[in-house]
Amino acid sequence: MKTITTTLFLFGLLLGAKATDVPDVRYLKFDELAANFNTVNSKGQMLECHSAFDVFLPEGKFAAEGIDILVPETPNVRGEKLLFLKWSYNEKKWITIKGKKVSSKTINKKQYHLVHVNETGVYGLFNDDRAKGEIKLILAPSLRISRVEFSQENVQVNYEKQLYDKPHSIEIPFGSVSILSEISMDVFSKSENKTSGYQFKLGEIPSLHRITSKSNHTVVFITKKDLARISRSSTPQTPAP
Amino acid sequence: MKKLIAVLFCAGYLLTAHANSTIVIEFEKDSEKFNEATTRALAIYADELYLAKGIKVTLQEPSKKADPKKLALFYKRERELKEFFKEEHLNFDHISFNYEVEGKKNLPVISVEIVSQNVVAEIIRPDSTFTNASNIAITCKYSDIELAQAMTIAKLSSQEELYNSNVSSFFDNKIIFIREMLSIEFPEGKLPNKPVTAQLPQSAEFAKKQFILLQWNNINKEWTKIGAAKKPTKGAQGYYYSAVLEESGLYALVENKSTSVTPVIAKAPKNVAIGYIEILSTEPFIRIEGEVSDNQREATFKAPRDIENYIIRTVCKDAQGKEWIEETKVFKKSIFRSFLNRKKINAYFNNK
């Protein structure tokens, strides 16, 4: 599975980094964030990621005292409130860390968010404003969904779920959907008795099949024709039963 | 506190004990050197100097334009004083050297003051005023002369230069009128130790207008105000605005007046995502970025209320990955017309 493989690769990098005595903080680009992690908290709510970083602290002084990380505030956003969370590899979710808060600091008239880290791990700053609304994907009756992944780069959100009961619809807890949202899904066809992977942008589904209410509830009907038209199929990632 | 003063006349040296811990070395004539007699007189206080927590040396330095002989003599005296300190094994970490511009009345050429508090060794020189390589009148600390000399100030004047600078004309919730945009560079990315004052020439027609200096913060994408609003002052060669500069960057000299704003919402058609949106006006120069909503279907921005016409430039993208730029002219009272004219535009606007 790509998630596990890449995560192990990241661990390998971290182990390699242990040869040095200096801390290492590396920003995670959205591609990397979406490929290896998600942006869901322990309550299953979707969070918009402000920034995520991979921190390595060597044994000794840095591990004992920790380090401060400064992240520039978003331009022209007054009173931006962020949550500071740590990625839990066990739960595969972002969890809160006791006693860790986001403070702010001004250096040379530039404003930064400041967080203190004293453990190696993957950390993220998320907008403290739970995404409202949802998007419901409904497939034709003869099709079933066995895995879905939803990503939207402009707001850095990612959601991935394996669906063992293979429903023909799925609700994703995010309402501010763009036509550029990426959807990757494994679809089981009853008639063909096989699972195929599809990857497409929401805007590739005809606008007549996408209905958004004022309260940010979007319903998307995906037909067989749509899937046939979307030629960019991906390799299914649904584990074999 | 033990207080003592000694005034030494080099010719026929005279020592006066006084209620002050200052030793003053006075030279009667410019031709007089720091001779043996001076050293002998100073040596009387060698123990005091050796035990002192701090020594403050103040030197009245002749101007750089002074007679070279006078200058040479000053530096000789200065050197000999330092030699004396060295020979007496004084701790230079406790001595500060303060250079002042010669000419203050009743002040000795060199005074050596024993102070009761700890002194950190430093060399303090008066501010220097000169015209630098970019022909700008500069006032700065002595230690920053070299840096200020090579500092460049380039005026961005064309619309293209202004547009490519990527700055906003939105500040403090108001639209600002940028009078002058300046790209200021200290050489090799260095910073001056203390702010450098550059006198920016202004025409007489702006003499009565108040200006504020703003610095573009490229990380936070916003302007930062540098100092208070002030009018240009009159100098020997016309009017100038004194800009206090601490670092390289983009600066704007802005009229201390603004135009009020009106919020506008731009909406894209259903199959188009807005990637970026801005308002542009050429005369006066205005550029304001809009805020794109999470769903990329609409954007909000603050448009100028009093500006007759401007354009809205939008970077659009469709689901097939095609990207293009839409420019929509918006005339005063014609926002609704733009809204109706959907066929020609991919971003249309509702006045709110």
Side-chain angles (χ1 to χ4, degrees):
Chain A
M1 195 171 144
K2 69 162 184 178
T3 312
I4 294 170
T5 318
T6 327
T7 310
L8 286 174
F9 174 69
L10 275 174
F11 263 125
L13 282 181
L14 286 175
L15 288 171
K18 279 198 169 184
T20 63
D21 290 334
V22 289
D24 183 37
V25 180
R26 189 171 57 84
Y27 266 103
L28 297 178
K29 287 183 184 168
F30 181 69
D31 290 350
E32 202 176 342
L33 179 75
N36 302 290
F37 311 98
N38 59 42
T39 61
V40 177
N41 68 7
S42 54
K43 291 177 185 167
Q45 294 163 318
M46 191 89 103
L47 300 169
E48 292 181 7
C49 181
H50 179 280
S51 49
F53 28 87
D54 194 351
V55 179
F56 165 73
L57 295 179
E59 295 292 322
K61 185 190 165 198
F62 291 111
E65 294 176 10
I67 56 167
D68 286 341
I69 298 174
L70 294 164
V71 177
E73 286 188 4
T74 311
N76 298 317
V77 178
R78 298 277 171 224
E80 183 178 45
K81 283 188 177 173
L82 298 178
L83 291 171
F84 183 47
L85 305 176
K86 188 180 181 187
W87 175 254
S88 163
Y89 282 96
N90 292 335
E91 296 177 49
K92 300 222 178 308
K93 279 171 187 165
W94 294 93
I95 54 166
T96 49
I97 325 157
K98 262 192 176 176
K100 293 281 183 196
K101 282 186 181 172
V102 184
S103 50
S104 57
K105 190 164 186 169
T106 304
I107 301 171
N108 290 336
K109 299 169 203 152
K110 297 172 182 77
Q111 286 95 45
Y112 295 87
H113 295 291
L114 185 148
V115 287
H116 185 77
V117 169
N118 48 11
E119 264 181 20
T120 291
V122 174
Y123 295 85
L125 285 166
F126 296 86
N127 288 332
D128 192 7
D129 180 20
R130 309 294 181 285
K132 287 174 188 152
E134 63 199 18
I135 176 168
K136 188 172 186 176
L137 306 175
I138 303 172
L139 264 65
S142 63
L143 300 175
R144 291 287 184 267
I145 310 168
S146 56
R147 187 194 65 88
V148 70
E149 184 176 357
F150 175 90
S151 295
Q152 194 168 308
E153 189 169 1
N154 70 313
V155 282
Q156 301 215 97
V157 293
N158 178 268
Y159 177 93
E160 189 176 7
K161 198 170 187 178
Q162 294 285 350
L163 302 151
Y164 298 105
D165 53 347
K166 295 194 178 88
H168 86 108
S169 69
I170 168 84
E171 278 184 10
I172 297 160
F174 183 70
S176 299
V177 287
S178 158
I179 59 159
L180 304 180
S181 303
E182 289 265 4
I183 295 165
S184 165
M185 52 169 41
D186 291 352
V187 176
F188 176 73
S189 165
K190 275 185 179 176
S191 55
E192 294 171 32
N193 195 25
K194 73 165 190 179
T195 302
S196 307
Y198 296 93
Q199 197 170 2
F200 56 94
K201 286 199 166 71
L202 183 62
E204 292 181 77
I205 305 295
S207 57
L208 283 172
H209 295 175
R210 292 183 270 123
I211 302 151
T212 302
S213 72
K214 280 186 180 173
S215 50
N216 267 352
H217 291 274
T218 301
V219 179
V220 183
F221 297 98
I222 303 171
T223 64
K224 276 185 176 178
K225 273 186 184 174
D226 290 331
L227 294 177
R229 190 170 38 80
I230 300 160
S231 54
R232 284 179 292 109
S233 304
S234 61
T235 311
Q237 291 173 33
T238 304
Chain B
M1 190 173 83
K2 174 170 54 60
K3 294 185 176 181
L4 186 64
I5 202 169
V7 178
L8 308 174
F9 286 99
C10 284
Y13 54 91
L14 167 73
L15 255 69
T16 312
H18 206 270
N20 199 337
S21 54
T22 305
I23 304 164
V24 177
I25 307 166
E26 190 75 88
F27 296 91
E28 267 192 338
K29 293 174 190 168
D30 284 343
S31 61
E32 284 167 14
K33 292 176 185 171
F34 199 101
N35 59 21
E36 203 182 312
T38 320
T39 314
R40 213 166 43 237
L42 256 178
I44 296 170
Y45 298 100
D47 287 347
E48 309 278 349
L49 291 164
Y50 187 77
L51 295 170
K53 279 186 177 174
I55 300 168
K56 192 178 161 192
V57 180
T58 308
L59 305 99
Q60 302 283 311
E61 189 176 22
S63 119
K64 301 277 178 213
K65 291 172 189 168
D67 177 20
K69 279 185 186 172
K70 188 179 179 181
L71 265 171
L73 184 64
F74 171 80
Y75 293 123
K76 185 173 166 53
R77 287 166 176 174
E78 179 199 25
R79 203 167 50 248
E80 284 171 340
L81 181 68
K82 285 180 181 170
E83 279 299 314
F84 169 79
F85 287 165
K86 250 186 225 173
E87 281 168 18
E88 293 298 329
H89 302 290
L90 300 188
N91 186 352
F92 272 79
D93 291 345
H94 298 162
I95 307 174
S96 76
F97 289 89
N98 301 267
Y99 291 81
E100 288 178 355
V101 180
E102 189 190 48
K104 286 186 186 172
K105 281 180 182 175
N106 304 322
L107 284 177
V109 173
I110 298 174
S111 85
V112 181
E113 188 181 353
I114 296 170
V115 290
S116 54
Q117 74 276 18
N118 285 325
V119 166
V120 179
E122 59 182 338
I123 296 170
I124 302 164
R125 291 203 174 256
D127 289 353
S128 301
T129 300
F130 58 94
T131 304
N132 84 345
S134 298
N135 208 24
I136 299 286
I138 299 283
T139 302
C140 70
K141 292 285 173 200
Y142 185 85
S143 55
D144 294 321
I145 289 177
E146 205 179 320
L147 207 61
Q149 182 68 25
M151 178 182 81
T152 58
I153 300 183
K155 204 182 274 189
L156 311 182
S157 50
S158 73
Q159 290 297 325
E160 197 184 344
E161 281 177 316
L162 289 166
Y163 179 72
N164 291 338
S165 62
N166 273 327
V167 299
S168 167
S169 37
F170 195 69
F171 171 68
D172 206 14
N173 214 28
K174 285 171 187 158
I175 289 174
I176 49 171
F177 296 101
I178 297 173
R179 163 101 196 87
E180 262 181 27
M181 183 99 102
L182 304 160
S183 172
I184 293 169
E185 290 292 328
F186 286 99
E188 297 161 27
K190 288 179 186 167
L191 295 175
N193 296 317
K194 295 281 175 189
V196 168
T197 305
Q199 292 173 349
L200 310 172
Q202 301 294 312
S203 63
E205 60 178 302
F206 299 115
K208 288 181 181 171
K209 287 191 175 178
Q210 281 208 321
F211 290 97
I212 48 174
L213 185 68
L214 303 178
Q215 186 186 4
W216 181 245
N217 178 335
N218 212 29
I219 293 178
N220 295 97
K221 301 282 177 207
E222 62 185 9
W223 289 107
T224 308
K225 192 174 170 184
I226 311 284
K230 58 187 176 187
K231 287 178 186 173
T233 48
K234 196 171 185 186
Q237 291 167 342
Y239 287 89
Y240 59 85
Y241 179 91
S242 296
V244 180
L245 310 165
E246 290 182 23
E247 56 188 341
S248 300
L250 276 176
Y251 291 79
L253 202 54
V254 168
E255 280 182 46
N256 192 28
K257 68 167 191 177
S258 55
T259 184
S260 50
V261 295
T262 180
V264 170
I265 293 180
K267 275 190 178 175
K270 210 173 175 184
N271 283 322
V272 173
I274 300 173
Y276 174 82
I277 193 161
E278 65 185 5
I279 282 182
L280 281 176
S281 156
T282 49
E283 194 57 51
F285 174 75
I286 285 173
R287 182 176 172 276
I288 303 167
E289 287 184 12
E291 198 175 309
V292 180
S293 67
D294 286 357
N295 65 12
Q296 298 181 283
R297 271 218 61 203
E298 60 181 45
T300 53
F301 46 80
K302 281 150 182 164
R305 195 188 289 273
D306 303 327
I307 305 300
E308 280 299 315
N309 56 61
Y310 52 88
I311 60 165
I312 294 177
R313 183 177 286 175
T314 318
V315 178
C316 302
K317 205 170 182 180
D318 67 14
Q320 282 70 41
K322 189 182 152 200
E323 201 173 49
W324 71 100
I325 293 172
E326 283 289 331
E327 284 191 359
T328 308
K329 282 186 182 175
V330 180
F331 301 97
K332 199 178 180 184
K333 296 174 187 170
S334 73
I335 291 171
F336 187 64
R337 191 154 35 124
S338 299
F339 171 73
L340 292 174
N341 195 8
R342 287 183 202 187
K343 285 182 183 174
K344 286 186 183 172
I345 51 173
N346 282 68
Y348 49 94
F349 310 96
N350 280 320
N351 199 359
K352 216 181 181 185

